[in-house]
C-alpha cells in the first residue's frame, strides 16, 4: 500500500503499523488479534481458545514467510516450543480458506480477515499467544487531505468502528452468511 501511495496511484489507503513516519502520516482505525480458523469437525471446536501447545502436530496452512504476519505467528509458536508443520504456503490473504474448508489443516489469521470467510462455514477461536495488529488509514507525509479524502477517512473509520471485539469472532464466524455484520 505504501508503494501505491508514494507513487501517486492512490491517495489514501489502509495498512498496518509499523510505517515509516518520514514517508507517511496516518490515523488509527482499529486493532485485531489472531484467531485460528478450522473445519467445524476439528477438535478445536470444543475449545474456547487455541494455545501454541494445541498446534503441535497440526497441519498448518500459512501465508508466505516474507509477510510479517507469518513471522509474528511462528515466532510466537517457536517461543512456546512448538515447531509448525506447514502443509501449504500462499502469497495473498484469502487462499487459506479453501484449504482449511477442504479439511487440509488449520490456519492462523487475524480476526478482521477471518470475518471475510463467514460464507465458508468455518469456525474460529482466539489464539494465545496472539500477535496484535494495529490498522491505520495512511497518506503521504505532508499532504493536505482534500474534502473527498476527509470524507473517505471518515467512512473508513466508521467501517472499522463496526468491527466486533476479538472475543466475538467465533460467534461471528458461525453465523449464516447473510447475518454477518460488516
Amino acid at each position: 500500500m505504501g508503494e501505491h501511495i508514494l507513487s501517486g496511484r492512490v491517495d489514501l489507503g489502509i495498512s498496518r503499523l509499523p510505517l515509516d513516519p518520514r514517508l507517511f502520516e496516518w490515523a488509527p482505525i482499529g486493532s485485531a488479534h489472531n484467531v485460528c480458523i478450522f473445519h467445524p469437525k476439528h477438535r478445536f471446536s470444543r475449545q474456547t481458545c487455541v494455545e501454541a501447545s494445541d498446534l503441535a502436530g497440526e497441519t498448518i496452512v500459512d501465508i508466505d514467510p516474507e509477510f510479517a504476519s507469518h513471522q509474528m505467528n511462528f515466532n510466537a509458536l517457536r517461543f512456546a516450543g512448538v515447531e509448525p508443520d506447514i502443509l501449504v504456503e500462499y502469497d495473498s490473504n484469502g487462499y487459506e480458506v479453501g484449504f482449511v474448508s477442504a479439511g487440509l489443516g488449520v490456519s492462523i489469521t487475524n480476526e478482521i480477515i477471518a470475518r471475510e470467510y463467514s460464507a465458508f462455514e468455518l469456525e474460529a477461536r482466539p489464539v494465545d499467544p496472539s500477535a496484535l495488529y494495529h490498522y491505520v488509514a495512511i497518506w503521504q507525509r505532508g499532504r493536505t487531505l482534500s474534502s473527498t479524502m476527509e470524507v473517505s477517512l471518515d467512512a473508513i473509520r466508521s467501517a472499522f468502528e463496526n468491527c466486533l471485539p476479538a472475543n466475538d469472532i467465533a460467534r461471528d464466524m458461525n453465523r449464516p452468511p447473510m447475518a454477518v455484520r460488516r
Side-chain angles (χ1 to χ4, degrees):
M1 183 52 59
E3 185 179 310
H4 290 295
I5 288 173
L6 294 175
S7 70
R9 288 188 296 262
V10 298
D11 297 321
L12 186 65
I14 297 173
S15 187
R16 293 190 316 230
L17 293 178
L19 292 168
D20 188 337
R22 297 169 298 175
L23 301 174
F24 303 103
E25 293 184 51
W26 59 81
I29 55 175
S31 297
H33 289 90
N34 280 343
V35 295
C36 181
I37 60 171
F38 49 88
H39 195 274
K41 295 180 182 175
H42 194 279
R43 66 185 175 94
F44 290 166
S45 64
R46 295 183 299 276
Q47 297 177 210
T48 58
C49 181
V50 176
E51 297 182 7
S53 59
D54 296 326
L55 293 165
E58 285 294 330
T59 304
I60 298 174
V61 177
D62 192 59
I63 199 156
D64 191 276
E66 75 179 47
F67 290 88
S69 57
H70 169 92
Q71 297 301 325
M72 289 189 297
N73 292 340
F74 290 102
N75 285 343
L77 291 177
R78 289 182 176 118
F79 182 77
V82 175
E83 187 59 34
D85 177 13
I86 300 172
L87 174 68
V88 177
E89 289 180 343
Y90 54 91
D91 64 357
S92 182
N93 286 319
Y95 290 115
E96 73 271 31
V97 71
F99 294 106
V100 174
S101 292
L104 297 178
V106 302
S107 188
I108 300 170
T109 190
N110 80 54
E111 61 191 313
I112 292 172
I113 293 169
R115 278 190 203 98
E116 298 301 317
Y117 305 155
S118 61
F120 290 87
E121 299 180 6
L122 297 175
E123 291 192 26
R125 298 294 185 275
V127 172
D128 184 34
S130 175
L132 178 61
Y133 304 88
H134 298 288
Y135 283 89
V136 293
I138 66 171
W139 58 93
Q140 191 167 7
R141 178 141 199 89
R143 179 161 188 179
T144 302
L145 298 182
S146 68
S147 60
T148 302
M149 288 176 62
E150 289 283 355
V151 168
S152 298
L153 179 58
D154 288 343
I156 291 169
R157 284 180 171 152
S158 176
F160 270 79
E161 283 175 4
N162 293 327
C163 287
L164 299 171
N167 294 341
D168 292 337
I169 183 64
R171 184 192 71 223
D172 193 43
M173 287 281 298
N174 293 321
R175 290 177 181 219
M178 297 306 289
V180 174
R181 295 184 299 192
R182 299 265 178 225

